[in-house]
Amino acid sequence: MKKPLLTALAIACALAVPILAQSREITITTQLKNYGGGGAYLALYLSDAKGAYAGTLWVAGGKTKYYKHLTDWNRLSAGDAKRLAGVTGASVGAGRTLKVTADLADALIDAGYEIRIDAAVEDMRESPSEVRLPLTAAGSGKAQTGKQYVQSLSYQLK
Amino acid sequence: MVWRQLHRWIGLVAGAVAVVLGITGAVLALEPVQSAWQSPAAARSLSVAQLADRVAAVVPGAEEIRRLPSGDTVVYAFDHGEPRASRIDPQSGQVLGAWEPSATLRWLRNLHRKLLLGDIGRLVAAGAALAMALLCITGLVLLQRRQGGWRKLGNRVRGSPMQRLHCAAGRALLAVLLVSSLAALNLSAASFGLVQLDGDTEPEVASRSASTGDLAPAELALLQQTAVRDLRKLNFPSADDPGDTWHISTAQGQGWIDRHDGQTLAWQPASTAQRINDWALLLHTGEGAWPWALVLGASGLSIALFWGTGLMLWWQARRLQPRLAGNRPLPEADTLIFVASENGSTWGFAQALHAALTQAGHPVHASTLEHFATGARTRQVFVLAATYGDGQAPAHAARALQRIAQAPVTSATVTVLGFGDRQFQGFCAFAGALESALRARGWPSLLPLARIHQQSAQEFALWGERLGKALGEPLALQYRPSIPRTTALTLVSRQDYPGAVGEPAAILRFAWPKASWAQRLGGRALGAFAAGDLLGVLPPDGAVPRLYSLASSAHDGFIEICVRRHAGGLCSGYLHALQPGERIAAFIRPNPGFTLQATRRPVMLIGAGTGVAPLAGFIRGNTQRAPMHLYYGTRDPALDYYFGAELQTWLQEQRLASLHTAFSRAESGGGHVQDALQRDATRLQSLIHQGGAIVRVCGSQAMARAVAQTLDAILAGMGLSVQQLKAQGRYAEDTF
């Protein structure tokens, strides 16, 4: 069965880090397990070396009132008024794959930053920080499994 | 009146969706019932602190305790990299097993909430809920109109079995369906974000860093004060984030607790909208209240019943819609027919009259009564008016009386023919009101007001003959009611009586045909029947069927009627010529207003002549030995004392408690049946007043009137009347 791919347009994240001239394109692929439930709400975001929020890459799920169930992201990003600007889409069905593409400043790579994903499904448990994946040049192409809903999370740096 | 149109079209359009939602809802309602039996309950005194302590001890890596609406307690844990969900017994903290939400229930829920579609489906479901609420309201208005006012809403519902099923079930379940659909609308509004349930922002809280370790749940004040019964969700602080807090959600609100010092860092009370939503959820799902869930489930299933019966009622009414060949415009016509019909049945008669007059050479125009008017060429006008409910106008003709009061009077005659049912207090009352209004305005008429009982083709044909004489031209009214499927019945025996006035009578007994399953499923079997139902007999020339009261029930295994031969009576002559072994074509017409339910109450049976037949059937079936008292009037014990021998047997067997006869043509025979009533007045008073007796009267219309007058006089002293008894459903007549 061919899985539809949800692709985001290239988004420059509003990061607290000064954008240097150099930036690289990153494609993040999230494949979900067949967890037997409705569509998953997902938040893909970055945190810095201190664990502080550093920007939102993508939020999957149509109804903003459910975003509070993406608890870590919701708490960490509360101060970011622009956290949803242009980075939202539909929820992701069980077994489906989400692909997100963004431009990242070179300075973010190999600097202690992590890609994080929070997940929540209606009538099922919330899964904050389902995956925490260090953002390194060497980690490109390596997949990691999540706790509850994510089969694999990986990124490709160009 | 727009109510009926609203009810009909909303029902037809939204009904199909509502049926799906009702059936899925009924299945979903089983869940709270099932979990009420299966889920271990938490004692009132059990606190969240105790529960969390037990869970922490029993479940490694517990992250969250959730109390499901069904009553189950589930613990989510993350143990050695493996997510686990377990059902636990809150009282003991014991793990009962892994918790797997049911995929079937999830599918049903998605079907119920959004028809397995997305927001479009949610909108459709919300539309169906709104439709359901409107159907309840319009239905209630229609029901009170049918019953003759709000005060009579509780009275017995009358009408065809289909109508009675639709109305009586509606009366019983309307309130539940209304509550459930309004609650559903509230839930829809919340789901679409039209209602803000809680603030978007959560308080900025974090556990203060401390050198001490975590406090145990038992040491946290907020958890000690909260009962497990009120708990919705408890999140344990995360193991790898020292700043994380305890987070508790209850029906009252949510709170955050410092993991190190146990202080309640913040408390957000539930908003009013949230509380309303909780109520809506309870009322709509019955979760946590299983008796209500049962009621909801029954009401959900009933939607299919309402839709089915409603569809059939609509279809029946549609089938009766007029198809008038050669209807002329009003200005060209010399004869106008105006019809007031609630369900369309009167149009069949209008059609017959239209055809006969057209054949006689008249240009005829027919229309509904609210268009009452006359033209320059109008010579005669006929108003065919049915009565709705207990003496009201059919909905579409509600304003007809005002219109008639304002119409300019011409020299045209206006003749009224009423249609109704003698079971009702206001038999043909609307036709009577039209008649009075027309005469008060000074319209002449060809014939006085005539009243047709239960769409009787015979009475209509007689009226046609009189009309032909009045018009001075022969008129053949060919009213053909739709005849139900008939079954062949074989005569097995006949008991003949010479009769007292040269009109012999016979008790005819037919075998009950054994029907195969195929015949039964195909609707070709006779169907069950009770004494007091009617047997429709088709005369050989296929003319209009005649109806005879049944003196037996299906239980007796045979079909018995008592038929007097009328001079020139087509059907009675045919039946009297039958010999055992010969067959007739017949069908059962239920007569539910008259048949007798099993009862322990005293029953007063009052009959005259062949009218004793259904009463004999009641007594025959009285194996319960309910106290039945028969008042039986006939002419001569030697000539027309039908069932005389059987009555003696039934007296001995105590199926009949007492027998009071009156023979009008016999020496000191005791007069008429009402005289027999008068003689027994004291006992009648006590049986009806204190005994709550049920009364059944069968005979000619004149006899029924005389009986009612006599009983009214007897009961007047007790402040009771026949009308009251009818309203209580304790008094019914079957007249011919």
Side-chain angles (χ1 to χ4, degrees), chain B residues 291-379:
Chain B
W292 177 242
L294 277 179
V295 173
L296 283 168
S299 76
L301 285 181
S302 74
I303 296 175
L305 171 93
F306 290 128
W307 191 60
T309 50
L311 205 63
M312 285 186 200
L313 290 169
W314 168 74
W315 187 246
Q316 283 170 358
R318 241 192 72 126
R319 265 216 336 255
L320 296 165
Q321 278 300 308
R323 284 182 299 276
L324 293 169
N327 197 29
R328 307 287 286 275
L330 190 146
E332 290 176 23
D334 74 354
T335 306
L336 309 180
I337 302 174
F338 291 109
V339 181
S341 171
E342 185 64 35
N343 54 21
S345 55
T346 306
W347 273 102
F349 294 94
Q351 224 171 329
L353 181 60
H354 191 285
L357 289 163
T358 303
Q359 191 150 23
H362 293 277
V364 188
H365 167 81
S367 178
T368 48
L369 183 60
E370 65 268 34
H371 300 119
F372 183 90
T374 52
R377 299 191 186 184
T378 308
R379 303 271 306 285

Side-chain angles (χ1 to χ4, degrees), chain A:
Chain A
M1 184 180 139
K2 192 171 171 296
K3 298 196 171 82
L5 305 178
L6 301 157
T7 309
L9 292 172
I11 298 296
C13 295
L15 298 176
V17 178
I19 303 273
L20 299 172
Q22 294 296 322
S23 72
R24 291 177 74 175
E25 188 181 270
I26 184 170
T27 302
I28 304 167
T29 306
T30 312
Q31 196 195 342
L32 298 189
K33 296 177 184 171
N34 273 314
Y35 49 81
Y41 274 57
L42 304 170
L44 271 167
Y45 55 106
L46 286 176
S47 59
D48 65 15
K50 294 194 202 78
Y53 168 81
T56 300
L57 294 161
W58 192 254
V59 178
K63 291 197 165 79
T64 50
K65 62 172 184 167
Y66 294 133
Y67 290 172
K68 63 170 187 271
H69 295 289
L70 303 162
T71 44
D72 279 0
W73 169 80
N74 192 45
R75 188 180 70 245
L76 293 167
S77 68
D80 178 6
K82 292 206 179 82
R83 64 183 188 172
L84 296 174
V87 292
T88 57
S91 63
V92 185
R96 299 288 172 94
T97 300
L98 170 73
K99 273 196 180 188
V100 175
T101 305
D103 279 340
L104 286 185
D106 269 346
L108 299 173
I109 297 158
D110 292 319
Y113 282 82
E114 280 184 336
I115 296 173
R116 287 207 206 181
I117 188 164
D118 284 15
V121 175
E122 187 182 24
D123 292 334
M124 293 176 80
R125 68 191 288 186
E126 296 159 6
S127 184
S129 303
E130 162 94 17
V131 184
R132 297 172 69 162
L133 197 54
L135 181 56
T136 59
S140 178
K142 291 181 181 149
Q144 190 172 324
T145 305
K147 294 194 283 190
Q148 181 80 22
Y149 300 109
V150 175
Q151 184 69 50
S152 72
L153 177 71
S154 62
Y155 57 89
Q156 290 282 355
L157 287 166
K158 276 192 180 160

Side-chain angles (χ1 to χ4, degrees), chain B residues 142-324:
Chain B
L142 289 172
L143 187 64
Q144 68 86 20
R145 264 197 8 215
R146 179 189 185 84
Q147 296 289 81
W150 294 106
R151 290 182 156 194
K152 296 186 182 167
L153 210 55
N155 289 3
R156 199 163 60 109
V157 181
R158 297 182 176 86
S160 75
M162 191 84 75
Q163 287 170 329
R164 294 208 333 276
L165 185 60
H166 193 88
C167 295
R171 188 171 58 184
L173 290 164
L174 193 137
V176 180
L177 286 169
L178 186 60
V179 165
S180 180
S181 53
L182 291 176
L185 282 172
N186 187 301
L187 297 174
S188 295
S191 133
F192 281 111
L194 302 176
V195 179
Q196 190 73 14
L197 291 185
D198 42 18
D200 279 334
T201 54
E202 292 193 343
E204 285 280 338
V205 289
S207 292
R208 288 171 285 254
S209 51
S211 53
T212 54
D214 287 354
L215 288 180
E219 297 170 287
L220 306 174
L222 183 57
L223 300 194
Q224 291 161 2
Q225 292 152 17
T226 311
V228 169
R229 290 172 163 273
D230 295 333
L231 180 70
R232 297 261 166 94
K233 207 172 70 162
L234 175 69
N235 294 91
F236 289 66
S238 139
D240 44 18
D241 176 5
D244 201 8
T245 60
W246 291 87
H247 177 206
I248 182 172
S249 301
T250 67
Q252 288 74 37
Q254 44 186 344
W256 290 261
I257 307 165
D258 191 302
R259 70 193 302 171
H260 303 301
D261 61 14
Q263 292 295 314
T264 302
L265 298 168
W267 174 258
Q268 259 187 1
S271 64
T272 313
Q274 179 67 54
R275 283 170 183 260
I276 292 172
N277 196 64
D278 288 348
W279 268 105
L281 205 58
L282 171 71
L283 288 173
H284 187 74
T285 62
E287 274 167 339
W290 67 265
W292 177 242
L294 277 179
V295 173
L296 283 168
S299 76
L301 285 181
S302 74
I303 296 175
L305 171 93
F306 290 128
W307 191 60
T309 50
L311 205 63
M312 285 186 200
L313 290 169
W314 168 74
W315 187 246
Q316 283 170 358
R318 241 192 72 126
R319 265 216 336 255
L320 296 165
Q321 278 300 308
R323 284 182 299 276
L324 293 169

